[in-house]
Amino acid sequence: MNKKVLIPLIVVILALCGAATWLFLSLQEQKQVVQDMEELAELDKQEMENEYERFTMQYSEMKTQINNDSIIAQLTEEQMKTQKLLEELKQVKASDAREIARLKKELATVREVLRDYVYQIDSLNRLNENLKAENSRVNAELNERNAQVAGLNSEKASLSEKVAIAAQLDATNIQMQILGKNGKAAKKLKDCKQMRVNFTITKNVTAANGNRTVYVRIQNPGGNTLSGGGTFAYENRNIECSAKKVIEYTGEETPVTVYWNMTQMLEAGDYRVSIFVDGNMIGTKTFSFK
């Protein structure tokens, strides 16, 4: 009778020991995942700080390239805004996901504004030989910053293999053509009956598969949106789009073509195309038409 009681008791004790060991190992694994996520968040925050600092330096560089007091004043104002956002970011903890997300959106806006100013200043073409030497010095500093960002990106990519994170879609190879009444490419806006926008949504194995609504927003030289696609939600408000299309996204590279039928007079100048999916702007490009 003692053996009948003792053997099951030993089996139960061994089972409990095995369960305790498994639970301990699971907790250790969870702790490692949490630690990896915290390191990833800190790297992401540091990368954002480097980008803000780099943009601040670029504003300083651009102000040395022009003699237009009005544009210099605008650049100074944008530089101060960028510096303020950088200071806010430095005060935020990497674990504050809500605030980090807000500052990341602000960073995207700063990047877009900076691109616009780069385009304006390049069109002025007022650089001289003395400014080229200063430009070379600043570029050396920027290259150093870029090298730091590249190093952070490498570390971030390594950690990303351990921690699966969702990434928004990205549109590349954006092209826009004006078409005549025969559906062929036209050279001048006066012959335009339709606009065709082509782009590619890049491969992203972390994104969820399924149908996506792609919104294309075309803005004329005056900044007004060419109407025709209704409205959609973006950054807590509804904005107008020119055309939209539902696509099936499988995580692989996906080509997309969207058409806008002419409903209003078009003026010569720069037309900006912006592409939105899942409440995010995933690509933008400017085209000039005569």
Side-chain angles (χ1 to χ4, degrees), residues 170-211:
D170 188 32
T172 61
N173 301 323
I174 302 172
Q175 300 294 330
M176 184 166 74
Q177 285 184 308
I178 56 175
L179 307 178
K181 60 183 179 180
N182 55 2
K184 296 182 179 180
K187 295 182 178 180
K188 296 183 179 180
L189 282 175
K190 68 176 184 177
D191 301 321
C192 177
K193 299 297 180 183
Q194 194 177 52
M195 283 186 170
R196 180 173 61 199
V197 178
N198 297 314
F199 54 91
T200 300
I201 297 180
T202 58
K203 180 179 179 179
N204 188 336
V205 296
T206 65
N209 295 345
N211 289 339

Side-chain angles (χ1 to χ4, degrees), residues 176-181 185-196 218-221 226 260 262 264-271 287-290:
M176 184 166 74
Q177 285 184 308
I178 56 175
L179 307 178
K181 60 183 179 180
K187 295 182 178 180
K188 296 183 179 180
L189 282 175
K190 68 176 184 177
D191 301 321
C192 177
K193 299 297 180 183
Q194 194 177 52
M195 283 186 170
R196 180 173 61 199
I218 305 173
Q219 293 173 286
N220 65 17
L226 303 184
W260 175 79
M262 182 176 175
Q264 61 193 82
M265 295 298 296
L266 303 177
E267 56 183 306
D270 295 335
Y271 285 76
F287 299 87
S288 297
F289 296 106
K290 299 180 180 179

Side-chain angles (χ1 to χ4, degrees), residues 49-113:
E49 288 182 12
N50 282 338
E51 283 203 77
Y52 271 120
E53 290 179 358
R54 180 157 55 93
F55 293 156
T56 301
M57 292 176 62
Q58 283 185 280
Y59 277 119
S60 296
E61 176 193 359
M62 287 190 293
K63 287 191 290 185
T64 67
Q65 298 176 359
I66 57 174
N67 296 317
N68 187 306
D69 292 339
S70 175
I71 295 181
I72 289 177
Q74 294 175 35
L75 291 174
T76 300
E77 182 180 354
E78 292 298 332
Q79 184 180 21
M80 292 175 64
K81 290 180 182 178
T82 303
Q83 185 64 42
K84 182 176 180 294
L85 290 170
L86 173 60
E87 295 303 323
E88 291 180 13
L89 179 59
K90 288 182 177 180
Q91 299 299 320
V92 172
K93 292 183 178 180
S95 58
D96 191 344
R98 183 188 297 265
E99 191 65 10
I100 290 294
R102 180 186 72 82
L103 290 169
K104 185 172 289 188
K105 286 186 177 181
E106 293 287 357
L107 181 61
T109 301
V110 170
R111 186 184 296 111
E112 190 60 31
V113 171

Side-chain angles (χ1 to χ4, degrees), residues 133-145:
E134 178 66 14
N135 184 55
S136 177
R137 182 187 68 78
V138 174
N139 280 337
E141 295 178 3
L142 288 174
N143 288 336
E144 182 179 353
R145 290 290 184 183

